[in-house]
Amino acid sequence: GQNIDQPTEMTATEGAIVQINCTYQTSGFNGLFWYQQHAGEAPTFLSYNVLDGLEEKGRFSSFLSRSKGYSYLLLKELQMKDSASYLCAVRDGNYQLIWGAGTKLIIKP
Amino acid sequence: NAGVTQTPKFRVLKTGQSMTLLCAQDMNHEYMYWYRQDPGMGLRLIHYSVGEGTTAKGEVPDGYNVSRLNKREFSLRLESAAPSQTSVYFCASSYQGSSYEQYFGPGTRLTVT
C-alpha cells in the first residue's frame, strides 16, 4: 500500500530552527508538496519538490531525496504565527495526491 | 478575487437526512476536488473533476455524489447522512498539471447525529 509518515507533534522555541521530516512509500513519484494548516483553517501551499535537492523560499526550505523516499521542511527564525500543522503530500504514479496525517508544530516563547 | 468559496460553513444533520455542499472557484481552474479531513488522518479524496461535465471517484467515494455544474462550481451531495460522515469537508481546485498546487476553500464542518 501507499504510506506517508510524519511525526505527529513537535515543539520548538521562538527564534529557533525546526526540521519536519516526511518519509513516503508510493507507487511511483511525481512530486512532493508541503502545506501549512492553521487550526480551523484550510491548508495553504508552501513548497513543491520534484527533483532531488533543496528549494528555498524565505524562512522556509524543503529538501527531497527520491532514492531515500524522504523529504524535510526546514523552518528558520521561528515565529509564534508558525504554530500550525504541516502536511506532506506526494503525487504518485497515477498522479493522485496522497496526504500524510500532518505534523502539529507548537512554538513556545 | 475570492479564490475558493464553500457553503455552508457549518451544518448539523440527523441520520438519514440529505444535504448538498457547494463549492465555487474564480481562478479558471480545470480541476476541482472534494476532500474530507478527520482527526489523526490525512486528507482523503472523495471525488474529483478534471473538467466541466466530468467526475471521477477518489479514495472514499461511497455515500457521496458529485456534480461539476460548470467550470466554476462543483457540488457534493450526501443522500442519506450517517454518523461516519461527520467530518470537515474541503473543496480544492488547481490548474491541470502535476506541478500545480491545490487551492483550498475554508471548509464545511458537518456533524451527523
Side-chain angles (χ1 to χ4, degrees):
Chain A
Q2 309 206 92
N3 196 47
I4 297 184
D5 287 317
Q6 308 177 230
T8 303
E9 187 174 296
M10 298 181 70
T11 302
T13 305
E14 190 177 15
I17 298 172
V18 71
Q19 177 176 311
I20 301 173
N21 296 327
C22 170
T23 58
Y24 62 88
Q25 292 177 308
T26 56
S27 304
F29 178 83
N30 284 293
L32 185 144
F33 295 82
W34 283 96
Y35 282 76
Q36 181 190 59
Q37 185 176 25
H38 285 101
E41 298 184 8
T44 55
F45 170 75
L46 286 177
S47 68
Y48 171 72
N49 295 70
V50 68
L51 299 176
D52 291 351
L54 191 68
E55 294 280 342
E56 297 187 78
K57 264 189 185 182
R59 293 189 300 115
F60 293 11
S61 304
S62 56
F63 171 83
L64 175 67
S65 169
R66 288 172 296 170
S67 62
K68 295 182 179 176
Y70 168 69
S71 173
Y72 67 73
L73 180 69
L74 192 71
L75 291 72
K76 301 177 187 175
E77 301 170 15
L78 285 170
Q79 302 174 9
M80 297 304 292
K81 68 178 182 180
D82 297 329
S83 292
S85 290
Y86 292 85
L87 314 181
C88 173
V90 173
R91 198 174 293 284
D92 69 11
N94 292 319
Y95 294 92
Q96 296 298 315
L97 207 53
I98 312 299
W99 294 81
T103 298
K104 182 178 181 180
L105 178 63
I106 299 168
I107 310 295
K108 296 188 173 179
Chain B
N1 190 343
V4 181
T5 57
Q6 290 182 234
T7 55
K9 286 189 168 51
F10 302 93
R11 186 75 185 267
V12 179
L13 287 180
K14 294 191 170 154
T15 298
Q17 288 185 319
S18 63
M19 78 165 293
T20 300
L21 286 69
L22 294 174
C23 173
Q25 52 91 10
D26 61 2
M27 295 174 283
N28 205 35
H29 287 163
E30 296 88 357
Y31 288 14
M32 296 186 75
Y33 315 83
W34 277 107
Y35 288 97
R36 60 178 289 172
Q37 187 175 41
D38 301 293
M41 303 182 72
L43 287 160
R44 290 185 291 168
L45 183 64
I46 303 170
H47 288 279
Y48 64 101
S49 169
V50 300
E52 194 172 342
T54 72
T55 62
K57 293 180 180 180
E59 180 187 353
V60 289
D62 294 342
Y64 305 96
N65 293 306
V66 290
S67 293
R68 184 73 180 267
L69 306 170
N70 48 56
K71 191 168 187 180
R72 292 186 61 249
E73 297 171 309
F74 191 34
S75 66
L76 177 73
R77 182 161 178 84
L78 287 69
E79 289 291 351
S80 178
S84 61
Q85 294 178 305
T86 293
S87 188
V88 179
Y89 291 86
F90 287 103
C91 175
S93 69
S94 72
Y95 287 116
Q96 182 180 359
S98 60
S99 65
Y100 288 106
E101 70 270 29
Q102 295 181 7
Y103 291 80
F104 285 80
T108 296
R109 292 185 177 277
L110 175 66
T111 301
V112 183
T113 61

